[in-house]
Amino acid sequence: MPSGSADFFTTRLDNLVAWARKNSLWPLPFGTACCAIEYMSIVSSHYDLARFGAEVVRFSPRQADLLIVAGTVVDKLAPVLRKIYDQMPEPKWVISMGVCASSGGFYRAYHVVQGIDEIVPVDVYVPGCPPTPEELMYGILSLQESIQSGRKSRDDRSARYAATLPALPSP
Amino acid sequence: MSDVAISPVSAPAERVRARLSGAIPDSRVSVADLDLPTIETDPRSWPAVARFLRDDPEMRFDLLIDLLGVDNLRRRGRPSRFELVVHLFSTSRDEHVRVKVILDGENPELPSVVDVWPAANWFEREAFDLFGFRFSGHPNLRRILCHQAFVGHALRKDYPPGQRWMCTEEDLYVPGLVARENVEEDHFETVVVNLGPSHPATHGTLRIVARLDGEQIVEAESEIGYLHRCFEKMSETHTWNQVIPYTDRLNYCSAFINNVAYCKTVERMLGIEVPERGALVRTILSEFSRIMDHCVCIGANLVDTGALTNFWYLFQPREEIYGLIEACCGARLTVSYGRVGGLSREVPADFVARCRSLLRSIPKFLDDVDNLVKRNRIVWDRFRGVGVVTRDQAIGWGFAGPCLRASGVGYDVRKARPYDFYDRFDWDVPVHRDGDNFARYLVRMEEMRQSLSIIRQALEILPSSGPVSSGDWHVVLPPKDRVYHDMESLIYHFKWVMEGIQVPEGERYEWFEGANGELGFYVVSTGGGSPYRIKPRPACFPMMAAFEKIIVGSRVSDAIATLGTLNIIAGELDR
C-alpha cells in the first residue's frame, strides 16, 4: 500500500448502516386483494421495482424487513397480520398500500379493519384504489429517505396498540 | 293432496307447473312466472321438491347455481320475513328455474339439501352465517365468511352495517381434523400442516389445513372468509350506480366484466337499451378483460409450479391492455367504467387503432408461453392427470366456466344465451374431456385466442360514431354542457346525483359469462334509489368448496398446482 495518499473517507457508522439498510429492503408482500394484483404488475418487467433496491420479495417474515400490506384486511385476518408483523426481525418498516389498508377505504363495514394502524404501526401510507405503480414507488422512496435520516420505525402508537392486543403465547 | 296454484304463465313456467302438479303428494307448491319460472314451497316440502327437480326426466335441474337468503323486513307483499332463494340450471335442457322456500319465524329452520346437490354445502353455510337459517341435517353447519367471534347475522336488515366484533388469535378456527386421534396410518405418523392464509401459493387469503401421510394428503379442510368485505351489505346502503365500484372489486382481475354484468342486470330491470356502439365497446373491453384474467390465472399458476419466466411473459400483454383501459377511463385495474345505461365516458379517438395494435402484439406472447409450456416435461408431470374432475363431479359440485368446459361440458353463456352481439360473431367454445390441470390450462389458452377473434370481428362492425350511452336521462347523467345551459338537464342531473336512478319494484336474476364461470346477479328492488338485495353468483365459490375433495390422495405440490388452475379469486369468493 502506498503511504500518505488519501484513499479513504470517514463517515458516521450509523449513516453507513442506514445507507445500507435503505438500499436493501426485502419486502414481504402481505397481498390480500386487488392491490396485490397491482403489486404483481409493479414487480413485473414493465415497472420493475428492482431498480429501487427493494426487489428481493420474501414470503417468510423471518427474511423480510419491509411489510407491504396490499389490499383489504378484514377482522378475520387481523390476528394473522399481527402475528406476521411480530415475527419480523427488527428493524422493520410497514407500508400500507391502498386506501383499504390505510383506512378501510369505502368498506365501512361490519367485517373490515378500518385501517391497519389498528393492528401494526405504519410508516408510509400510499393512497389510491389501487395506487398506481408510480405511487407505490414514491412511497418506497419516501420510506428510504426516512430510513437514511435515521428515524426509528416504532413510534409511540405501536406501544399503545400493543397494550390493547392480547400477548402472544410464548413458544 | 297436492295442489299447484295457478297464475298466468309463459311456456317454460307452464311446463314446470304441469310436471309439478300432483307429482309430490302432501306438498304445497305454487308456480309463478317472473323473469324465471318461480316455484314457491314450504320447508317441509322442500327436500321432496328438490329431489323431484333434479331427478324428473323432464326437469333435470342438475346444476345448483346459487342459494341465498332474503330478509323481507322492509319489503311489502311477501308472506314471511325470511325466504330462501335457490337458482337451478339444467345442463341438458339449458333452462333456469328459481325456487323460493318460504320460511317461518325469526330463527327459521329448514332441511338441508346437501345430499341432493353437493354444491349446496357451502351456500347453506353462508346463509346460516349471514341470515341465521338453521339447516337440519347439514354435515358442518358453522360460520363460513365471518370470523368465529362474530355475534349476530350480518345481512339481516336490522343489523347495523358498521357493527364490528373484535377477532383475536384465540378466535381463529381450528379444524376438527387437527385434534382427531386414531387416524388410519399406513406406514408413517401423519402430520397436520396449515397452508395459509398468508402463503404465497394460496394467494393471500385462502387457508387449507391438511393431514399428510408422508407426502400424501389424506384429508383436508379449507377455510375462507379472509377477504369478506361485505359487498352485499354495502350494496344495500348505496345507490344503484354507487354499487358499480364495489362490483369492480369482486373479481378484480377482470373488473370490467363485473361492471357490465351488473349494469346489464339493472338495465333489464329498467327495460332500457344500450346503443349499438356502447354495447360493442363493452364487448371488446370485456373480452380484453377475459384475456387479462386468464393471463393472471395461468401466470400465477405457473409461478406456483416454478415457471417464473411465463409470469413475465404473461404480464406484458396485461400491461398493454391496461394502457388501452387507462386511455378509456383513467384507471388500470378497478375501472368503474360501466354505468347503468352505457359507459361513463366516450372512448378515446384512437380506440380502434389501439385495439388493432393489441390484436397484433398479444398472440406473440401467447405463442411464446405455449411453446414454453405445452411440451415442457415438468409441466406435463405436474399438470397431466393431476387434479382430475370428472364430468359428473363438475356438475354436482356446481362448476362453471373454463373449469366446467375442461371437464367436458360445453356450456358457455355467450353461446347458450347470447347477449349483446355474441350470436353475430363466428367463434368456438373450447371443450376438453380430461378434466385435469392441463385441460384447464389448454381451455384457457384457447379461450384467449377465441376472445381475440371476437374482438377482431367486433371492431369490424363497430360504428365509427354515435353515442355509447342511452339517451334516457332518468338513467344516464346528461352531458355537462347541457346541464349548464338548460333547466331540464339540470334537474335530471340533480335527481340523478341526489337520489340515484329509480329502479322499478321487482326481482331479477341475469347471468353472463364471467372470466371464470357463470357470473350472475340476483337483484331485488323495492322501487327506491338503492338496491334492496344484490347477490352476485360467485363462480369460484363452489369450486373452492370442491377443492378439499379434489386434493385428497394427491401430494401437497399437486394441490398447489390444482389450486392455481381453479383460478380462485378471493374478492369474488368471499365478497
Side-chain angles (χ1 to χ4, degrees):
Chain A
M1 283 293 289
S3 60
S5 64
D7 282 354
F8 60 91
F9 66 97
T10 56
T11 177
R12 287 175 51 207
L13 180 63
D14 47 3
N15 278 6
L16 181 68
V17 169
W19 171 81
R21 278 177 182 161
K22 140 189 164 186
N23 290 310
S24 62
L25 288 170
W26 286 23
L28 185 156
F30 190 85
T32 62
C34 341
C35 279
I37 304 287
E38 200 63 347
Y39 185 83
M40 288 182 193
S41 293
I42 296 166
V43 294
S44 294
S45 1
H46 189 85
Y47 285 98
D48 194 15
L49 194 57
R51 296 172 295 161
F52 303 102
E55 167 192 41
V56 193
V57 173
R58 283 286 171 259
F59 285 101
S60 162
R62 304 277 184 221
Q63 302 171 353
D65 55 3
L66 167 62
L67 179 66
I68 298 183
V69 181
T72 319
V73 176
V74 302
D75 286 335
K76 197 172 186 171
L77 199 60
V80 178
L81 174 61
R82 176 74 213 188
K83 192 168 194 167
I84 283 179
Y85 177 80
D86 285 335
Q87 285 173 346
M88 286 166 65
E90 293 275 0
K92 53 190 169 185
W93 297 273
V94 178
I95 289 184
S96 157
M97 177 182 175
V99 282
C100 284
S102 304
S103 70
F106 68 177
Y107 292 103
R108 184 158 298 188
Y110 58 84
H111 202 250
V112 178
V113 175
Q114 302 296 299
I116 56 165
D117 49 15
E118 288 182 11
I119 310 159
V120 295
V122 177
D123 294 283
V124 177
Y125 297 88
V126 182
C129 186
T132 57
E134 295 86 351
E135 279 177 299
L136 183 74
M137 287 170 184
Y138 181 67
I140 289 176
L141 292 174
S142 317
L143 179 69
Q144 289 178 336
E145 275 171 32
S146 76
I147 293 172
Q148 179 65 67
S149 68
R151 199 168 63 83
K152 288 282 176 288
S153 74
R154 280 186 169 281
D155 49 7
D156 60 341
R157 277 174 320 160
S158 70
R160 217 171 54 229
Y161 286 118
T164 65
L165 286 160
L168 286 170
S170 49
Chain B
M1 180 61 217
S2 80
D3 66 299
V4 177
I6 302 177
S7 53
V9 283
S10 61
E14 179 57 42
R15 198 166 49 249
V16 171
R17 197 191 60 75
R19 288 300 297 177
L20 268 174
S21 92
I24 309 161
D26 306 330
S27 64
R28 300 193 37 183
V29 185
S30 66
V31 180
D33 186 33
L34 305 170
D35 55 317
L36 300 172
T38 301
I39 302 164
E40 286 201 4
T41 182
D42 60 357
R44 213 171 37 81
S45 321
W46 167 225
V49 171
R51 218 166 276 285
F52 177 82
L53 288 174
R54 188 195 60 179
D55 297 336
D56 183 73
E58 286 191 40
M59 296 279 126
R60 287 273 161 79
F61 290 105
D62 48 2
L63 190 67
L64 180 106
I65 296 285
D66 203 353
L67 182 147
L68 60 131
V70 177
D71 178 2
N72 293 321
L73 186 66
R74 303 198 179 113
R75 192 173 164 207
R76 288 188 310 272
R78 296 300 305 162
S80 71
R81 176 171 175 186
F82 290 113
E83 57 194 40
L84 182 81
V85 177
V86 185
H87 291 110
L88 302 170
F89 175 68
S90 165
T91 48
S92 51
R93 291 177 35 259
D94 196 13
E95 266 185 30
H96 278 71
V97 74
R98 175 183 303 135
V99 183
K100 284 188 177 183
V101 186
I102 308 296
L103 307 170
D104 36 1
E106 292 291 297
N107 291 304
E109 263 207 51
L110 71 159
S112 163
V113 288
V114 171
D115 51 349
V116 185
W117 295 284
N121 186 327
W122 276 21
F123 284 114
E124 289 184 349
R125 278 178 60 193
E126 188 187 328
F128 163 72
D129 185 359
L130 301 176
F131 287 94
F133 300 169
R134 301 202 161 274
F135 294 88
S136 51
H138 190 286
N140 181 18
L141 195 67
R142 53 181 190 85
R143 288 190 185 275
I144 183 165
L145 296 178
C146 297
H147 54 81
Q148 304 295 310
F150 201 86
V151 180
H153 300 288
L155 275 186
R156 291 186 170 197
K157 285 286 173 185
D158 47 13
Y159 188 92
Q163 172 66 56
R164 287 169 57 201
W165 302 92
M166 180 132 174
C167 172
T168 59
E169 195 153 346
E170 289 82 65
D171 304 314
L172 289 180
Y173 173 67
V174 180
L177 67 88
V178 174
R180 199 169 311 149
E181 297 293 328
N182 63 36
V183 183
E184 281 286 315
E185 293 184 3
D186 294 349
H187 35 272
F188 288 110
E189 202 172 306
T190 60
V191 208
V192 174
V193 292
N194 173 70
L195 284 176
S198 178
H199 181 284
T202 61
H203 298 248
T205 44
L206 313 168
R207 179 171 168 222
I208 301 133
V209 179
R211 181 180 288 281
L212 304 183
D213 180 358
E215 274 279 305
Q216 283 227 322
I217 297 175
V218 287
E219 55 181 336
E221 189 169 343
S222 357
E223 172 74 355
I224 64 167
Y226 293 98
L227 191 58
H228 176 48
R229 305 189 277 193
C230 330
F231 167 83
E232 289 153 56
K233 195 74 176 179
M234 290 293 98
S235 63
E236 291 169 11
T237 54
H238 289 73
T239 66
W240 291 95
N241 269 310
Q242 283 173 336
V243 174
I244 292 169
Y246 287 104
T247 63
D248 274 328
R249 291 155 182 81
L250 288 169
N251 181 347
Y252 34 75
C253 295
S254 50
F256 188 69
I257 299 181
N258 303 312
N259 279 191
V260 173
Y262 168 73
C263 291
K264 284 185 81 70
T265 307
V266 181
E267 281 154 17
R268 286 179 183 171
M269 289 184 86
L270 287 157
I272 60 167
E273 283 292 320
V274 177
E276 183 183 9
R277 187 154 174 270
L280 279 166
V281 169
R282 279 180 174 190
T283 303
I284 292 165
L285 291 177
S286 292
E287 293 307 318
F288 273 130
S289 302
R290 191 180 314 279
I291 293 169
M292 285 203 303
D293 192 291
H294 288 349
C295 281
V296 173
C297 170
I298 294 175
N301 189 10
L302 289 166
V303 169
D304 292 344
T305 52
L308 186 62
T309 315
N310 299 284
F311 183 73
W312 308 137
Y313 280 22
L314 283 164
F315 257 69
Q316 198 50 39
R318 259 185 80 91
E319 212 54 61
E320 293 179 13
I321 296 171
Y322 276 161
L324 167 74
I325 289 179
E326 210 170 355
C328 291
C329 65
R332 287 159 48 92
L333 184 78
T334 46
V335 294
S336 301
Y337 187 37
R339 286 290 181 278
V340 177
L343 298 169
S344 68
R345 67 197 68 218
E346 179 60 66
V347 294
D350 59 353
F351 178 76
V352 174
R354 277 173 176 274
C355 290
R356 289 201 191 283
S357 87
L358 283 173
L359 288 177
R360 279 192 299 275
S361 65
I362 292 176
K364 185 183 176 308
F365 289 108
L366 300 187
D367 292 342
D368 283 348
V369 173
D370 234 4
N371 293 336
L372 279 169
V373 168
K374 217 169 186 165
R375 302 204 168 280
N376 183 309
R377 186 64 223 233
I378 302 171
V379 172
W380 276 34
D381 285 348
R382 299 205 52 186
F383 278 23
R384 295 183 66 189
V386 174
V388 178
V389 179
T390 65
R391 184 195 159 97
D392 291 344
Q393 281 174 330
I395 292 173
W397 286 333
F399 274 37
C403 297
L404 182 67
R405 293 190 280 273
S407 294
V409 183
Y411 173 60
D412 187 317
V413 181
R414 293 170 296 169
K415 274 280 191 232
R417 195 189 64 148
Y419 48 96
D420 289 348
F421 298 97
Y422 282 111
D423 49 351
R424 285 168 56 181
F425 305 136
D426 175 29
W427 60 286
D428 299 317
V429 179
V431 183
H432 206 289
R433 276 202 307 274
D434 292 356
D436 58 3
N437 288 346
F438 200 58
R440 289 190 275 271
Y441 162 81
L442 291 174
V443 164
R444 283 205 175 87
M445 218 58 192
E446 185 53 37
E447 272 186 26
M448 290 199 259
R449 297 198 168 96
Q450 294 296 334
S451 290
L452 289 172
S453 144
I454 291 173
I455 294 166
R456 197 168 290 116
Q457 294 168 61
L459 284 172
E460 273 159 26
I461 59 172
L462 180 73
S464 54
S465 64
V468 290
S469 296
S470 152
D472 182 344
W473 292 345
H474 292 96
V475 177
V476 179
L477 207 55
K480 273 286 185 295
D481 56 339
R482 301 189 62 151
V483 173
Y484 293 137
H485 290 104
D486 74 72
M487 193 63 202
E488 204 184 344
S489 304
L490 180 66
I491 292 168
Y492 276 124
H493 185 282
F494 177 84
K495 300 278 275 185
W496 193 98
V497 172
M498 299 307 290
E499 295 171 8
I501 55 177
Q502 304 294 307
V503 175
E505 190 165 350
E507 59 191 280
R508 214 178 169 95
Y509 178 71
E510 293 290 349
W511 59 100
F512 307 95
E513 187 65 30
N516 54 3
E518 174 170 330
L519 172 68
F521 276 94
Y522 175 66
V523 177
V524 178
S525 168
T526 50
S530 63
Y532 185 80
R533 172 97 170 90
I534 293 183
K535 171 72 165 64
R537 189 267 169 182
C540 51
F541 190 78
M543 298 189 213
M544 188 67 207
F547 178 67
E548 60 193 39
K549 304 188 184 76
I550 298 172
I551 59 173
V552 167
S554 63
R555 294 190 302 271
V556 178
S557 56
D558 294 341
I560 299 295
T562 307
L563 186 65
T565 58
L566 293 178
N567 193 21
I568 308 293
I569 307 282
E572 190 186 55
L573 176 78
D574 296 340
R575 279 153 290 133

